[in-house]
Every structure is written in C-alpha cells, then in structure tokens.
Amino acid sequence: MAAATPSTLAAVLVFVLVTQDVTAQRTEPCQTADKMPGKCIVLHSCAPLYALLQGPRPIDPQVINFLRESTCGFQGSTPKVCCPGLDPGTQPLTPRPPPTQQPFTQRPFTQQPFTQQPFTQRPRPRPPVDDRPVNVQNDPNLRLLPHDVCGPGATNRIINGNKTNVFEFPWMARLGYTSSRTGAIAYRCGGSLINSRYVLTAAHCVAGIKSTEALTTVRLGENDIFNETDCSFITGVQVCAPPVVDVGVEDTVVHPGFSLEGEERLQNDVALVRLVRRVRFTDAVRPICLPVGDEQYRNLDGKKLIVAGWGTTESGYGSRDLLQVAVPVVPGEQCVEVYKKNVNINPAKEMCAGGTRAGDSCNGDSGGPLKQAGLGVNNDVRMMQFGIVSFGPRKCGTEGMPGVYTRVAYYMKWILSNLRS
C-alpha cells in the first residue's frame, strides 16, 4: 500500500478546509458520515479513515466527499474526524464504503437555528436531468479562468472578528453607477473578479437599475471605502495596500432567463460585467476560483460559508470597512417552504444561507460572492465562489429567514459560454 505523500497532505487539507470551522473537545461522541456512533479524534489516529488516503491516486471523489462529511473539528491545527467505534483507544471499526453522493440530495437538517420555527418537511423529488449542473471540467473555455492564481488564502476561519484585513478578499468588486443628471458615481452593488476581464455579479444589479443611471465603472482592491490608503496590522506589522483600481465597463451580459416578474421571478439572477481592459493581478487584486467538476455537485447543507461586503444594497452601503460573516447553508426544501408565499425557490438553481441574528447577507453586497475553500482544477486548495447574493427578507438577520443566493455551480456552463478572451 502506498505511503502518504505531499498529495495526500493536500487531500487532507481539502476536506478540513471545506467543512465548518469548529473546534471539538477531545474524544467527543459524534455521529459518523454514515450515521454510526463514533468518537471525534485526530485523523491519523482513526485507522479506517486514514487508510482511505493511502489508496491509489487519484483519490476517488466519493472518498473525498466521505472524508469531508466526517470532519468534526480541530486539535490545534490538526483535523479531527468522527471515527467509527465506541472508544478511541480501541481498534476502530471498519467503516462502510463511502456513500454515493447524488447532486443536491438533501439530508435531514437539525442545526438549532433552523429548527425553532415549524416547517412542513416534504421530500423533494429528484430534479430532472436538465435541472442539474452541466459538468464543465472539459469545457474549452475553462482555459479563460486563471486556475493558477485564483482564490488565494484558502481558509474558512474568520480572524480578527468580522472586519477583514487588506489582501484577504482581493476578488471583491464594487459596481459604480453614474447618474445621468449629476454625473456622480454611486456604488450600489458588489461582484467578484473571476479573470482579468470579467466580474461576476447578480442580474438585478445590471438589469434592474434606475433609468437615470448607467453601470460605468468597477472598483477593485478596496477595503476601507473612506481611506485612500488601506492598511491593516497583521501579526503586529502594519501592511498597506496599493491604491484602488477603477476600471471602466465595456459590456454586460445578463442571463436571458432573469425576470423581476412571473413564476420564476428572481431566478437566474446572474450576470457578467466585461471590463474595458485587463487588470494586473496583485496581492490586492486577484480573482476567485469557480467550482468545476466534482465541486459543482458538492452538498453544502449545514456547512458554513462566508459572505463579505460593505453591506451594500440598491439603497446604499452600511459599513465603511469590508466585513465578513459565516452563514450556515439551509436545505433546499426548507428554503422552499419559507419563501413559498412570496417567491418560488428552485434549489437546483438557488441556495439559501443565514437566517440567524448572528449574521446574514446584510453583511454582504447585492451581487457579491458566497465562498468556501474547495478543490481547484489542479487538485490544490483554493478559495471558491459557490453563491451570488440575490435577495432576502426586508428585515435582515430575521430568525428562520435565510438569504437567497444564486447557485454558481449550476450556471458554470452559462458563465463559460459567455466569456470572451
């Protein structure tokens, strides 16, 4: 059997980073990924799970998914897994084979914030074939995404509270709208840089703007919107970012299925903004990665993803500093139930997260990214965008009312098809 290699370590890091950032007590009882009793112990002490990493390369995607679901915390920086067996000091039981992961198959969700309101749980029928993401791992336009430089800083840990440091979210973009009456520029939406010419955002940020305004500029490399020079103290040392980069808008592409009316209103809330020139990547300006292949089918229910922004909506901004917050993903059928009186939610195309007083997409911008660490095209750990801030309840942070995000994985084929070199 092959010994552990650097690629093994990379695989371990992948499933640690893409799970919730929680810290479990030593030998804490837990439930394994296949619903067996177990103990939460460090990975290398759990023989059956550690053995999964010693198999042939490349590691089977089902194994990777099984290990992700088995993560239960950290001991310092060492990942812990829920190991099957009654006592961590005895020989662990041999686990069942990793279950086959069906795209968007919802598991029972028991996280406390979402069980306080009664919901009528009903099984959601398996979506039709054309309602699942098209796997784009062999798409010819995949070459237009910068896989070697996207998504730096692959960690889900929120350090230093909700306030972000410079260089922490270098893909964040602010969309500027010029008034035809005054010539003033107002930043009313967010977005994410995905390559040197394109910003990904929500369709309502492009198609739903005022008739007296036009989307004319994109600002990159911003942290504090009131400071010309943004600086942060990182490990006791002051680090400053270069000036912001303002780039004009050459063209926009709105998903043809987006509408503010009808049964499918607010679905397909995705758009691309093409810049007038290529931007140079720096520590302060760098694209985020997008989900490709297996990452398009990952079940994120119950996982905490991170949304960041200045609290910007169509009516203005809420914070001078770029803020971040971790929001738990809500199962699709629960989100359908919450919004059924107001709008139709399609769990294949949309995802819901938040709905707690501790944090919601108020901290993000309309059109901004919802992200988590994932496995990149080159099998390395990268920060990846899974959602686009779409809409939510009028009163943000309402218990049991999650925000709604466009599911990026579903729209990867559309995104790639509309990129030009």
Side-chain angles (χ1 to χ4, degrees):
M1 191 171 286
T5 66
S7 62
T8 300
L9 179 58
V12 174
L13 289 175
V14 167
F15 80 82
V16 171
L17 291 171
V18 298
T19 53
Q20 297 185 55
D21 187 15
V22 295
T23 302
Q25 300 298 321
R26 290 190 176 186
T27 67
E28 182 178 85
C30 58
Q31 188 179 58
T32 68
D34 53 358
K35 311 303 180 186
M36 299 287 288
K39 293 286 186 177
C40 187
I41 61 176
V42 292
L43 172 66
H44 58 75
S45 296
C46 181
L49 296 193
Y50 190 70
L52 294 176
L53 294 172
Q54 310 300 310
R57 297 293 184 270
I59 298 176
D60 191 300
Q62 293 184 11
V63 172
I64 294 176
N65 285 332
F66 186 74
L67 292 174
R68 285 178 182 141
E69 299 298 330
S70 299
T71 306
C72 58
F74 297 88
Q75 183 172 305
S77 60
T78 304
K80 301 176 75 175
V81 294
C82 190
C83 192
L86 298 179
D87 187 87
T90 62
Q91 181 66 27
L93 302 173
T94 302
R96 299 174 185 173
T100 300
Q101 298 291 323
Q102 291 292 338
F104 309 118
T105 298
Q106 309 295 349
R107 302 190 312 274
F109 186 80
T110 57
Q111 191 159 338
Q112 187 61 31
F114 303 106
T115 57
Q116 294 177 354
Q117 275 191 291
F119 293 102
T120 303
Q121 297 291 347
R122 56 174 181 242
R124 184 169 60 86
R126 182 176 178 179
V129 174
D130 62 355
D131 236 12
R132 285 181 278 171
V134 175
N135 191 325
V136 297
Q137 62 183 355
N138 296 318
D139 193 291
N141 271 5
L142 204 57
R143 60 184 174 79
L144 299 178
L145 298 180
H147 307 290
D148 293 333
V149 298
C150 67
T155 175
N156 286 331
R157 294 181 177 176
I158 294 181
I159 303 170
N160 196 25
N162 282 352
K163 186 175 178 181
T164 66
N165 293 318
V166 295
F167 310 147
E168 196 172 354
F169 289 81
W171 45 81
M172 291 296 296
R174 301 179 68 207
L175 306 190
Y177 302 84
T178 300
S179 169
S180 60
R181 296 173 178 172
T182 65
I185 298 177
Y187 293 91
R188 302 194 186 280
C189 269
S192 53
L193 189 69
I194 60 172
N195 72 9
S196 61
R197 288 293 296 270
Y198 281 91
V199 167
L200 183 65
T201 188
H204 75 264
C205 289
V206 179
I209 62 179
K210 301 176 182 178
S211 60
T212 56
E213 290 184 335
L215 176 57
T216 58
T217 187
V218 171
R219 174 165 288 185
L220 303 167
E222 187 96 277
N223 190 270
D224 183 331
I225 62 178
F226 293 148
N227 276 350
E228 285 194 18
T229 302
D230 293 336
C231 299
S232 299
F233 281 92
I234 302 175
T235 63
V237 178
Q238 188 180 46
V239 179
C240 295
V244 298
V245 177
D246 289 325
V247 190
V249 172
E250 178 183 287
D251 193 14
T252 58
V253 185
V254 176
H255 193 285
F258 175 74
S259 176
L260 294 173
E261 300 176 348
E263 291 187 0
E264 294 187 356
R265 67 187 180 98
L266 298 178
Q267 291 184 21
N268 306 305
D269 195 5
V270 56
L272 290 166
V273 178
R274 181 175 168 86
L275 307 177
V276 295
R277 61 174 175 84
R278 295 183 182 277
V279 296
R280 185 173 65 89
F281 297 151
T282 66
D283 288 338
V285 177
R286 197 174 292 262
I288 193 169
C289 296
L290 300 180
V292 174
D294 290 338
E295 292 293 344
Q296 293 179 257
Y297 303 97
R298 192 188 328 156
N299 189 338
L300 296 168
D301 287 357
K303 301 294 188 290
K304 284 191 174 182
L305 276 65
I306 294 175
V307 62
W310 294 265
T312 306
T313 66
E314 290 76 5
S315 60
Y317 56 82
S319 170
R320 64 177 290 169
D321 296 308
L322 179 61
L323 304 177
Q324 62 178 324
V325 66
V327 290
V329 175
V330 183
E333 69 270 17
Q334 182 169 317
C335 193
V336 169
E337 189 70 20
V338 169
Y339 281 98
K340 68 179 182 180
K341 293 183 179 180
N342 302 303
V343 66
N344 292 324
I345 300 295
N346 185 335
K349 299 179 178 181
E350 297 164 295
M351 59 192 299
C352 294
T356 69
R357 294 186 182 91
D360 213 328
S361 54
C362 312
N363 300 83
D365 298 337
S366 290
L370 179 71
K371 58 99 174 179
Q372 192 190 54
L375 188 63
V377 169
N378 299 321
N379 292 322
D380 51 0
V381 181
R382 300 277 176 172
M383 199 53 73
M384 197 165 288
Q385 181 174 353
F386 289 95
I388 302 170
V389 178
S390 183
F391 65 93
R394 289 186 180 276
K395 187 177 180 181
C396 215
T398 302
E399 195 77 24
M401 289 291 292
V404 181
Y405 300 79
T406 302
R407 194 182 287 273
V408 174
Y410 180 87
Y411 292 97
M412 281 303 299
K413 181 64 178 178
W414 180 87
I415 291 170
L416 292 176
S417 297
N418 286 279
L419 295 181
R420 292 184 283 127
S421 57

